[in-house]
Amino acid sequence: MTVSLSPHERLERVRERIAAACARAGRDPASVTLVAVSKTHPAQAVGALARAGQTLFGESYVQEALPKMDALSPLGLSWHFIGKLQKNKVKYVAGRFELIHSVDSLELARVLHEKSSALGVRQGVLVQANLACEAAKSGCRPEDVESLAEAFEELPGLELRGLMLMPPWNEDPEANRGLFARARGLRERLSERLGRELPELSMGMSHDLETAVEEGATLVRVGTDLFGAREG
Ligand SMILES: *Cc1c(COP(=O)(O)O)cnc(C)c1O
């Protein structure tokens, strides 16, 4: 579909879609940050999108991400980790990714806190909420999100910045509007409970970013519409 477009054109299209959704929702386009999801795509493709002006990239697999980040380090890009994080991989990600979107258990949070503290960094994190309660999906159960968020107050190696939502796949971009709205409501309740602002709400992908932005997303994670389809 969009494969024949240049990286610059694809980036422009996605930016325009974000801007149009912001206009419909009465939001400032600067309040939405685009995370270019480069998993499965080679460093060369990331470099091409970086030359078109994109500076923030998201990766899902530790082994794949690290060599890519090393190869591209002269470009000074920012990286987010958005995939499932195993505890035994924490040592590779702490302090290397600006934000980790996928913290979904207290055990994982503790390991990440210990590693970040040892490095002398404060690691930015989001709690991934499994609001649809899908058994096979990672993410914290909705009833556990508040206690997990509160536990972060005792883990100074971590800075909780908000929530991430990965809803069930549905090709209809409207299908998850209700879940997006619930995620926003949950973030508001958490902010009140913690007595401080939680600035980030990570939700929306290639096919439903408009809906997510209309419902309050501050980080949208877009892969396919920037890089083309992934193989396999
Ligand atoms: C792959 C991935 C995306 C990007 O999905 P597209 O449909 O290709 O835009 C977003 N978020 C997460 C967590 C992913 O793993």
Side-chain angles (χ1 to χ4, degrees), residues 18-19 22-23 27-33:
I18 293 171
C22 282
R27 297 183 59 192
D28 178 356
S31 66
V32 181
T33 299

Side-chain angles (χ1 to χ4, degrees), residues 7-21:
H8 184 82
E9 287 165 329
R10 284 189 223 139
L11 184 57
E12 277 310 300
R13 283 200 177 184
V14 170
R15 284 179 173 164
E16 281 164 14
R17 289 169 58 196
I18 293 171

Side-chain angles (χ1 to χ4, degrees), residues 37 39 60-61 82-83 128 164-166 169 204-207 221-226 228 230:
V37 177
K39 65 175 184 225
S60 295
Y61 310 107
I82 64 169
Q128 182 176 350
M164 185 269 232
L165 180 70
M166 178 82 180
W169 167 258
M205 313 198 296
S206 291
H207 75 295
R221 309 178 309 264
V222 177
T224 306
D225 285 358
L226 290 172
R230 288 179 293 275

Side-chain angles (χ1 to χ4, degrees), residues 81-226:
F81 190 81
I82 64 169
K84 177 148 186 69
L85 182 55
Q86 316 283 337
K87 274 175 277 178
N88 63 355
K89 298 278 169 56
V90 159
K91 56 180 177 290
Y92 303 115
V93 306
R96 295 205 54 177
F97 290 83
E98 189 203 313
L99 187 65
I100 297 172
H101 291 223
S102 46
V103 177
D104 62 359
S105 74
L106 187 54
E107 294 93 304
L108 177 60
R110 284 211 176 101
V111 177
L112 203 47
H113 154 75
E114 278 160 26
K115 184 64 190 167
S116 305
S117 303
L119 291 169
V121 297
R122 191 138 194 257
Q123 175 66 59
V125 296
L126 305 179
V127 165
Q128 182 176 350
N130 182 356
L131 292 187
C133 291
E134 294 170 279
K137 273 275 185 64
S138 44
C140 182
R141 291 183 307 166
E143 60 270 34
D144 295 336
V145 168
E146 294 193 27
S147 59
L148 180 57
E150 282 184 342
F152 281 83
E153 305 297 293
E154 312 289 314
L155 303 174
L158 304 182
E159 186 192 349
L160 176 62
R161 293 199 206 142
L163 295 179
M164 185 269 232
L165 180 70
M166 178 82 180
W169 167 258
N170 193 310
E171 68 183 50
D172 175 4
E174 285 296 319
N176 285 315
R177 185 181 287 278
L179 282 182
F180 292 149
R182 271 178 62 198
R184 185 187 58 208
L186 183 56
R187 180 186 64 159
E188 277 160 20
R189 280 201 305 286
L190 283 178
S191 295
E192 272 170 35
R193 194 148 162 180
L194 300 175
R196 67 182 175 85
E197 202 56 40
L198 290 173
E200 305 293 1
L201 201 48
S202 167
M203 55 191 196
M205 313 198 296
S206 291
H207 75 295
D208 62 3
L209 69 88
E210 284 89 350
T211 316
V213 166
E214 287 164 17
E215 296 301 331
T218 65
L219 293 165
V220 291
R221 309 178 309 264
V222 177
T224 306
D225 285 358
L226 290 172

